[in-house]
Amino acid sequence: MNTALTRRSTIASIAGPSEDDGAQSSKRWPSLAKTASYCRSTRPRLKLTGVPPAEKGKHNQAIGRSRGGRTTKIHALSDPLCRPVVLHLTPGQDADIAAAPDVLALAPPMSVLLADKGYDGDKLRGAIIRRGAKPVIPNKSNRVVIHRFNKRAYKGRNVIERCFCRLKDFRRIATRYDKLARNFLAAVHLAALVAYWLN
């Protein structure tokens, strides 16, 4: 521990320990189809989170300027079945790692957190370890102190990409019809519920 959804947002996913970790858990999520298929938590529930209350209009729309134009980033945390369990919005120009503490605070118990290079930071790695999880995050090219990185476990990060591909099937999410961030986040939650949690 991966878009107005006009560009792919950066993302993270959670999973249990991989086969080479040797760890076993007392509880197993129902019918997991991942190599890292165990977790210490019970079945996760979708956490409703988003933009903090507006302070004189700040972040009340969660729209910012980036290379792709005016965009919003959706940060998500998913389980091994591609189901999003935490969703969070930030303006498009905000760094990925800036949203990580908010997302991590709402994360269910986990044993492994997979994330892309945008989340590579010593503070975040420390926070993940303090939660009792193992960070599987590639090292940035400019990193001085190189951390060990399990390439085999990192292959499981594709579940969050598949999660976002499914959410972008909803036109309202892909093109962001809503002006306010709270309305857009509500639409993302509804899409996630329809796509993953009501089946």
Side-chain angles (χ1 to χ4, degrees), residues 53-82:
E55 299 173 4
K56 296 183 180 179
K58 183 181 179 183
H59 291 301
N60 66 338
Q61 294 185 8
I63 298 176
R65 294 200 174 273
S66 64
R67 286 180 294 180
R70 293 168 56 82
T71 60
T72 297
K73 282 185 183 177
I74 299 176
H75 301 267
L77 195 66
S78 76
D79 67 10
L81 291 178
C82 303

PDB file of all heavy atoms in Angstrom, residues 53-82:
ATOM      1  N   PRO A  53     -14.167  19.239   3.540  1.00  0.00           N
ATOM      2  CA  PRO A  53     -15.091  20.355   3.398  1.00  0.00           C
ATOM      3  C   PRO A  53     -14.389  21.564   2.802  1.00  0.00           C
ATOM      4  O   PRO A  53     -13.241  21.872   3.120  1.00  0.00           O
ATOM      5  CB  PRO A  53     -15.543  20.627   4.839  1.00  0.00           C
ATOM      6  CG  PRO A  53     -15.321  19.344   5.547  1.00  0.00           C
ATOM      7  CD  PRO A  53     -14.151  18.690   4.886  1.00  0.00           C
ATOM      8  N   ALA A  54     -15.091  22.258   1.937  1.00  0.00           N
ATOM      9  CA  ALA A  54     -14.494  23.376   1.205  1.00  0.00           C
ATOM     10  C   ALA A  54     -14.123  24.510   2.152  1.00  0.00           C
ATOM     11  O   ALA A  54     -14.887  24.879   3.026  1.00  0.00           O
ATOM     12  CB  ALA A  54     -15.461  23.864   0.142  1.00  0.00           C
ATOM     13  N   GLU A  55     -12.930  25.046   1.981  1.00  0.00           N
ATOM     14  CA  GLU A  55     -12.497  26.220   2.716  1.00  0.00           C
ATOM     15  C   GLU A  55     -12.416  27.357   1.718  1.00  0.00           C
ATOM     16  O   GLU A  55     -11.455  27.510   0.995  1.00  0.00           O
ATOM     17  CB  GLU A  55     -11.130  25.975   3.355  1.00  0.00           C
ATOM     18  CG  GLU A  55     -11.136  24.822   4.347  1.00  0.00           C
ATOM     19  CD  GLU A  55      -9.737  24.504   4.839  1.00  0.00           C
ATOM     20  OE1 GLU A  55      -8.806  25.255   4.450  1.00  0.00           O
ATOM     21  OE2 GLU A  55      -9.585  23.537   5.584  1.00  0.00           O
ATOM     22  N   LYS A  56     -13.468  28.191   1.698  1.00  0.00           N
ATOM     23  CA  LYS A  56     -13.568  29.306   0.767  1.00  0.00           C
ATOM     24  C   LYS A  56     -13.360  28.835  -0.674  1.00  0.00           C
ATOM     25  O   LYS A  56     -12.625  29.435  -1.445  1.00  0.00           O
ATOM     26  CB  LYS A  56     -12.561  30.395   1.124  1.00  0.00           C
ATOM     27  CG  LYS A  56     -12.835  31.026   2.483  1.00  0.00           C
ATOM     28  CD  LYS A  56     -11.874  32.148   2.776  1.00  0.00           C
ATOM     29  CE  LYS A  56     -12.154  32.778   4.117  1.00  0.00           C
ATOM     30  NZ  LYS A  56     -11.206  33.869   4.444  1.00  0.00           N
ATOM     31  N   GLY A  57     -13.989  27.743  -1.013  1.00  0.00           N
ATOM     32  CA  GLY A  57     -13.948  27.255  -2.387  1.00  0.00           C
ATOM     33  C   GLY A  57     -12.768  26.370  -2.719  1.00  0.00           C
ATOM     34  O   GLY A  57     -12.678  25.819  -3.800  1.00  0.00           O
ATOM     35  N   LYS A  58     -11.831  26.211  -1.783  1.00  0.00           N
ATOM     36  CA  LYS A  58     -10.645  25.393  -2.068  1.00  0.00           C
ATOM     37  C   LYS A  58     -11.018  23.924  -2.156  1.00  0.00           C
ATOM     38  O   LYS A  58     -11.631  23.366  -1.266  1.00  0.00           O
ATOM     39  CB  LYS A  58      -9.608  25.597  -0.969  1.00  0.00           C
ATOM     40  CG  LYS A  58      -8.312  24.837  -1.219  1.00  0.00           C
ATOM     41  CD  LYS A  58      -7.340  25.063  -0.095  1.00  0.00           C
ATOM     42  CE  LYS A  58      -6.061  24.282  -0.327  1.00  0.00           C
ATOM     43  NZ  LYS A  58      -5.118  24.436   0.786  1.00  0.00           N
ATOM     44  N   HIS A  59     -10.679  23.292  -3.247  1.00  0.00           N
ATOM     45  CA  HIS A  59     -10.892  21.858  -3.473  1.00  0.00           C
ATOM     46  C   HIS A  59     -12.372  21.465  -3.519  1.00  0.00           C
ATOM     47  O   HIS A  59     -12.682  20.300  -3.445  1.00  0.00           O
ATOM     48  CB  HIS A  59     -10.199  21.003  -2.409  1.00  0.00           C
ATOM     49  CG  HIS A  59      -8.710  21.033  -2.511  1.00  0.00           C
ATOM     50  ND1 HIS A  59      -8.033  20.636  -3.631  1.00  0.00           N
ATOM     51  CD2 HIS A  59      -7.769  21.426  -1.624  1.00  0.00           C
ATOM     52  CE1 HIS A  59      -6.732  20.777  -3.438  1.00  0.00           C
ATOM     53  NE2 HIS A  59      -6.555  21.251  -2.239  1.00  0.00           N
ATOM     54  N   ASN A  60     -13.303  22.431  -3.616  1.00  0.00           N
ATOM     55  CA  ASN A  60     -14.697  22.004  -3.658  1.00  0.00           C
ATOM     56  C   ASN A  60     -15.075  21.425  -5.007  1.00  0.00           C
ATOM     57  O   ASN A  60     -16.136  20.830  -5.145  1.00  0.00           O
ATOM     58  CB  ASN A  60     -15.635  23.163  -3.282  1.00  0.00           C
ATOM     59  CG  ASN A  60     -15.596  24.284  -4.307  1.00  0.00           C
ATOM     60  OD1 ASN A  60     -14.626  24.404  -5.054  1.00  0.00           O
ATOM     61  ND2 ASN A  60     -16.625  25.101  -4.321  1.00  0.00           N
ATOM     62  N   GLN A  61     -14.204  21.599  -6.003  1.00  0.00           N
ATOM     63  CA  GLN A  61     -14.452  20.978  -7.305  1.00  0.00           C
ATOM     64  C   GLN A  61     -13.436  19.896  -7.632  1.00  0.00           C
ATOM     65  O   GLN A  61     -13.658  19.096  -8.521  1.00  0.00           O
ATOM     66  CB  GLN A  61     -14.450  22.047  -8.406  1.00  0.00           C
ATOM     67  CG  GLN A  61     -15.605  23.019  -8.284  1.00  0.00           C
ATOM     68  CD  GLN A  61     -15.659  23.996  -9.432  1.00  0.00           C
ATOM     69  OE1 GLN A  61     -14.924  23.864 -10.410  1.00  0.00           O
ATOM     70  NE2 GLN A  61     -16.529  24.967  -9.330  1.00  0.00           N
ATOM     71  N   ALA A  62     -12.298  19.883  -6.944  1.00  0.00           N
ATOM     72  CA  ALA A  62     -11.230  18.891  -7.183  1.00  0.00           C
ATOM     73  C   ALA A  62     -10.835  18.848  -8.651  1.00  0.00           C
ATOM     74  O   ALA A  62     -10.622  17.780  -9.218  1.00  0.00           O
ATOM     75  CB  ALA A  62     -11.649  17.512  -6.701  1.00  0.00           C
ATOM     76  N   ILE A  63     -10.743  20.019  -9.259  1.00  0.00           N
ATOM     77  CA  ILE A  63     -10.293  20.125 -10.653  1.00  0.00           C
ATOM     78  C   ILE A  63      -9.008  20.939 -10.649  1.00  0.00           C
ATOM     79  O   ILE A  63      -8.932  21.997 -10.038  1.00  0.00           O
ATOM     80  CB  ILE A  63     -11.348  20.806 -11.541  1.00  0.00           C
ATOM     81  CG1 ILE A  63     -12.623  19.973 -11.569  1.00  0.00           C
ATOM     82  CG2 ILE A  63     -10.814  21.012 -12.950  1.00  0.00           C
ATOM     83  CD1 ILE A  63     -13.755  20.606 -12.345  1.00  0.00           C
ATOM     84  N   GLY A  64      -7.982  20.435 -11.308  1.00  0.00           N
ATOM     85  CA  GLY A  64      -6.717  21.150 -11.389  1.00  0.00           C
ATOM     86  C   GLY A  64      -6.114  21.027 -12.771  1.00  0.00           C
ATOM     87  O   GLY A  64      -6.553  20.219 -13.585  1.00  0.00           O
ATOM     88  N   ARG A  65      -5.114  21.828 -13.008  1.00  0.00           N
ATOM     89  CA  ARG A  65      -4.455  21.820 -14.318  1.00  0.00           C
ATOM     90  C   ARG A  65      -3.263  20.880 -14.305  1.00  0.00           C
ATOM     91  O   ARG A  65      -2.437  20.924 -13.405  1.00  0.00           O
ATOM     92  CB  ARG A  65      -4.003  23.222 -14.710  1.00  0.00           C
ATOM     93  CG  ARG A  65      -5.145  24.179 -14.936  1.00  0.00           C
ATOM     94  CD  ARG A  65      -4.702  25.377 -15.764  1.00  0.00           C
ATOM     95  NE  ARG A  65      -5.850  26.213 -16.079  1.00  0.00           N
ATOM     96  CZ  ARG A  65      -6.634  26.045 -17.121  1.00  0.00           C
ATOM     97  NH1 ARG A  65      -6.411  25.035 -17.952  1.00  0.00           N
ATOM     98  NH2 ARG A  65      -7.645  26.853 -17.358  1.00  0.00           N
ATOM     99  N   SER A  66      -3.206  20.024 -15.300  1.00  0.00           N
ATOM    100  CA  SER A  66      -2.063  19.130 -15.474  1.00  0.00           C
ATOM    101  C   SER A  66      -1.717  19.109 -16.957  1.00  0.00           C
ATOM    102  O   SER A  66      -2.300  19.854 -17.744  1.00  0.00           O
ATOM    103  CB  SER A  66      -2.398  17.724 -14.967  1.00  0.00           C
ATOM    104  OG  SER A  66      -3.426  17.160 -15.736  1.00  0.00           O
ATOM    105  N   ARG A  67      -0.796  18.254 -17.349  1.00  0.00           N
ATOM    106  CA  ARG A  67      -0.397  18.212 -18.764  1.00  0.00           C
ATOM    107  C   ARG A  67      -1.547  17.832 -19.674  1.00  0.00           C
ATOM    108  O   ARG A  67      -1.571  18.195 -20.837  1.00  0.00           O
ATOM    109  CB  ARG A  67       0.757  17.223 -18.935  1.00  0.00           C
ATOM    110  CG  ARG A  67       2.067  17.743 -18.401  1.00  0.00           C
ATOM    111  CD  ARG A  67       3.176  16.744 -18.591  1.00  0.00           C
ATOM    112  NE  ARG A  67       2.946  15.555 -17.795  1.00  0.00           N
ATOM    113  CZ  ARG A  67       3.757  14.514 -17.771  1.00  0.00           C
ATOM    114  NH1 ARG A  67       4.850  14.517 -18.517  1.00  0.00           N
ATOM    115  NH2 ARG A  67       3.493  13.472 -17.013  1.00  0.00           N
ATOM    116  N   GLY A  68      -2.522  17.107 -19.140  1.00  0.00           N
ATOM    117  CA  GLY A  68      -3.667  16.705 -19.951  1.00  0.00           C
ATOM    118  C   GLY A  68      -4.789  17.726 -19.970  1.00  0.00           C
ATOM    119  O   GLY A  68      -5.836  17.476 -20.544  1.00  0.00           O
ATOM    120  N   GLY A  69      -4.583  18.875 -19.327  1.00  0.00           N
ATOM    121  CA  GLY A  69      -5.639  19.888 -19.249  1.00  0.00           C
ATOM    122  C   GLY A  69      -6.241  19.913 -17.859  1.00  0.00           C
ATOM    123  O   GLY A  69      -5.574  19.584 -16.872  1.00  0.00           O
ATOM    124  N   ARG A  70      -7.492  20.304 -17.761  1.00  0.00           N
ATOM    125  CA  ARG A  70      -8.175  20.376 -16.469  1.00  0.00           C
ATOM    126  C   ARG A  70      -8.688  18.982 -16.107  1.00  0.00           C
ATOM    127  O   ARG A  70      -9.561  18.449 -16.784  1.00  0.00           O
ATOM    128  CB  ARG A  70      -9.321  21.385 -16.522  1.00  0.00           C
ATOM    129  CG  ARG A  70      -8.832  22.808 -16.693  1.00  0.00           C
ATOM    130  CD  ARG A  70      -9.943  23.772 -17.023  1.00  0.00           C
ATOM    131  NE  ARG A  70     -11.012  23.763 -16.033  1.00  0.00           N
ATOM    132  CZ  ARG A  70     -10.971  24.443 -14.883  1.00  0.00           C
ATOM    133  NH1 ARG A  70      -9.906  25.163 -14.591  1.00  0.00           N
ATOM    134  NH2 ARG A  70     -11.978  24.387 -14.038  1.00  0.00           N
ATOM    135  N   THR A  71      -8.132  18.417 -15.048  1.00  0.00           N
ATOM    136  CA  THR A  71      -8.440  17.028 -14.713  1.00  0.00           C
ATOM    137  C   THR A  71      -8.644  16.834 -13.214  1.00  0.00           C
ATOM    138  O   THR A  71      -8.307  17.693 -12.408  1.00  0.00           O
ATOM    139  CB  THR A  71      -7.306  16.081 -15.156  1.00  0.00           C
ATOM    140  OG1 THR A  71      -6.109  16.468 -14.491  1.00  0.00           O
ATOM    141  CG2 THR A  71      -7.092  16.107 -16.651  1.00  0.00           C
ATOM    142  N   THR A  72      -9.178  15.678 -12.892  1.00  0.00           N
ATOM    143  CA  THR A  72      -9.330  15.218 -11.517  1.00  0.00           C
ATOM    144  C   THR A  72      -8.697  13.844 -11.416  1.00  0.00           C
ATOM    145  O   THR A  72      -8.875  13.021 -12.300  1.00  0.00           O
ATOM    146  CB  THR A  72     -10.823  15.127 -11.145  1.00  0.00           C
ATOM    147  OG1 THR A  72     -11.394  16.421 -11.205  1.00  0.00           O
ATOM    148  CG2 THR A  72     -11.003  14.563  -9.749  1.00  0.00           C
ATOM    149  N   LYS A  73      -7.981  13.605 -10.337  1.00  0.00           N
ATOM    150  CA  LYS A  73      -7.405  12.281 -10.112  1.00  0.00           C
ATOM    151  C   LYS A  73      -8.295  11.504  -9.158  1.00  0.00           C
ATOM    152  O   LYS A  73      -8.767  12.034  -8.157  1.00  0.00           O
ATOM    153  CB  LYS A  73      -6.012  12.389  -9.491  1.00  0.00           C
ATOM    154  CG  LYS A  73      -4.916  12.736 -10.466  1.00  0.00           C
ATOM    155  CD  LYS A  73      -3.579  12.691  -9.759  1.00  0.00           C
ATOM    156  CE  LYS A  73      -2.470  13.109 -10.715  1.00  0.00           C
ATOM    157  NZ  LYS A  73      -1.164  13.139 -10.024  1.00  0.00           N
ATOM    158  N   ILE A  74      -8.510  10.261  -9.486  1.00  0.00           N
ATOM    159  CA  ILE A  74      -9.198   9.347  -8.583  1.00  0.00           C
ATOM    160  C   ILE A  74      -8.144   8.393  -8.033  1.00  0.00           C
ATOM    161  O   ILE A  74      -7.486   7.686  -8.784  1.00  0.00           O
ATOM    162  CB  ILE A  74     -10.296   8.544  -9.308  1.00  0.00           C
ATOM    163  CG1 ILE A  74     -11.350   9.470  -9.876  1.00  0.00           C
ATOM    164  CG2 ILE A  74     -10.924   7.541  -8.354  1.00  0.00           C
ATOM    165  CD1 ILE A  74     -12.403   8.749 -10.678  1.00  0.00           C
ATOM    166  N   HIS A  75      -7.982   8.408  -6.722  1.00  0.00           N
ATOM    167  CA  HIS A  75      -7.068   7.484  -6.063  1.00  0.00           C
ATOM    168  C   HIS A  75      -7.929   6.368  -5.477  1.00  0.00           C
ATOM    169  O   HIS A  75      -8.946   6.636  -4.838  1.00  0.00           O
ATOM    170  CB  HIS A  75      -6.289   8.182  -4.956  1.00  0.00           C
ATOM    171  CG  HIS A  75      -5.491   9.345  -5.448  1.00  0.00           C
ATOM    172  ND1 HIS A  75      -4.172   9.243  -5.821  1.00  0.00           N
ATOM    173  CD2 HIS A  75      -5.835  10.637  -5.655  1.00  0.00           C
ATOM    174  CE1 HIS A  75      -3.738  10.416  -6.213  1.00  0.00           C
ATOM    175  NE2 HIS A  75      -4.730  11.279  -6.126  1.00  0.00           N
ATOM    176  N   ALA A  76      -7.541   5.147  -5.708  1.00  0.00           N
ATOM    177  CA  ALA A  76      -8.358   4.015  -5.259  1.00  0.00           C
ATOM    178  C   ALA A  76      -7.497   2.948  -4.620  1.00  0.00           C
ATOM    179  O   ALA A  76      -6.307   2.820  -4.917  1.00  0.00           O
ATOM    180  CB  ALA A  76      -9.129   3.425  -6.432  1.00  0.00           C
ATOM    181  N   LEU A  77      -8.123   2.205  -3.746  1.00  0.00           N
ATOM    182  CA  LEU A  77      -7.512   1.039  -3.127  1.00  0.00           C
ATOM    183  C   LEU A  77      -8.464  -0.111  -3.380  1.00  0.00           C
ATOM    184  O   LEU A  77      -9.660   0.005  -3.112  1.00  0.00           O
ATOM    185  CB  LEU A  77      -7.344   1.289  -1.630  1.00  0.00           C
ATOM    186  CG  LEU A  77      -6.426   0.377  -0.848  1.00  0.00           C
ATOM    187  CD1 LEU A  77      -4.984   0.553  -1.298  1.00  0.00           C
ATOM    188  CD2 LEU A  77      -6.528   0.692   0.632  1.00  0.00           C
ATOM    189  N   SER A  78      -7.963  -1.198  -3.938  1.00  0.00           N
ATOM    190  CA  SER A  78      -8.856  -2.307  -4.284  1.00  0.00           C
ATOM    191  C   SER A  78      -8.406  -3.585  -3.605  1.00  0.00           C
ATOM    192  O   SER A  78      -7.261  -3.710  -3.179  1.00  0.00           O
ATOM    193  CB  SER A  78      -8.901  -2.523  -5.799  1.00  0.00           C
ATOM    194  OG  SER A  78      -7.722  -3.160  -6.233  1.00  0.00           O
ATOM    195  N   ASP A  79      -9.328  -4.537  -3.536  1.00  0.00           N
ATOM    196  CA  ASP A  79      -8.980  -5.855  -3.019  1.00  0.00           C
ATOM    197  C   ASP A  79      -8.545  -6.734  -4.193  1.00  0.00           C
ATOM    198  O   ASP A  79      -8.578  -6.295  -5.350  1.00  0.00           O
ATOM    199  CB  ASP A  79     -10.153  -6.452  -2.231  1.00  0.00           C
ATOM    200  CG  ASP A  79     -11.352  -6.787  -3.104  1.00  0.00           C
ATOM    201  OD1 ASP A  79     -11.226  -6.731  -4.346  1.00  0.00           O
ATOM    202  OD2 ASP A  79     -12.408  -7.115  -2.560  1.00  0.00           O
ATOM    203  N   PRO A  80      -8.117  -7.968  -3.959  1.00  0.00           N
ATOM    204  CA  PRO A  80      -7.631  -8.816  -5.059  1.00  0.00           C
ATOM    205  C   PRO A  80      -8.685  -9.195  -6.094  1.00  0.00           C
ATOM    206  O   PRO A  80      -8.340  -9.741  -7.139  1.00  0.00           O
ATOM    207  CB  PRO A  80      -7.113 -10.067  -4.336  1.00  0.00           C
ATOM    208  CG  PRO A  80      -6.764  -9.595  -2.975  1.00  0.00           C
ATOM    209  CD  PRO A  80      -7.787  -8.563  -2.649  1.00  0.00           C
ATOM    210  N   LEU A  81      -9.956  -8.893  -5.827  1.00  0.00           N
ATOM    211  CA  LEU A  81     -11.004  -9.178  -6.811  1.00  0.00           C
ATOM    212  C   LEU A  81     -11.360  -7.943  -7.637  1.00  0.00           C
ATOM    213  O   LEU A  81     -12.415  -7.900  -8.251  1.00  0.00           O
ATOM    214  CB  LEU A  81     -12.259  -9.701  -6.100  1.00  0.00           C
ATOM    215  CG  LEU A  81     -12.123 -11.095  -5.486  1.00  0.00           C
ATOM    216  CD1 LEU A  81     -13.414 -11.475  -4.777  1.00  0.00           C
ATOM    217  CD2 LEU A  81     -11.780 -12.122  -6.542  1.00  0.00           C
ATOM    218  N   CYS A  82     -10.495  -6.929  -7.617  1.00  0.00           N
ATOM    219  CA  CYS A  82     -10.668  -5.676  -8.360  1.00  0.00           C
ATOM    220  C   CYS A  82     -11.734  -4.767  -7.750  1.00  0.00           C
ATOM    221  O   CYS A  82     -12.051  -3.733  -8.328  1.00  0.00           O
ATOM    222  CB  CYS A  82     -11.012  -5.924  -9.830  1.00  0.00           C
ATOM    223  SG  CYS A  82      -9.821  -6.910 -10.719  1.00  0.00           S
TER     224      CYS A  82
END
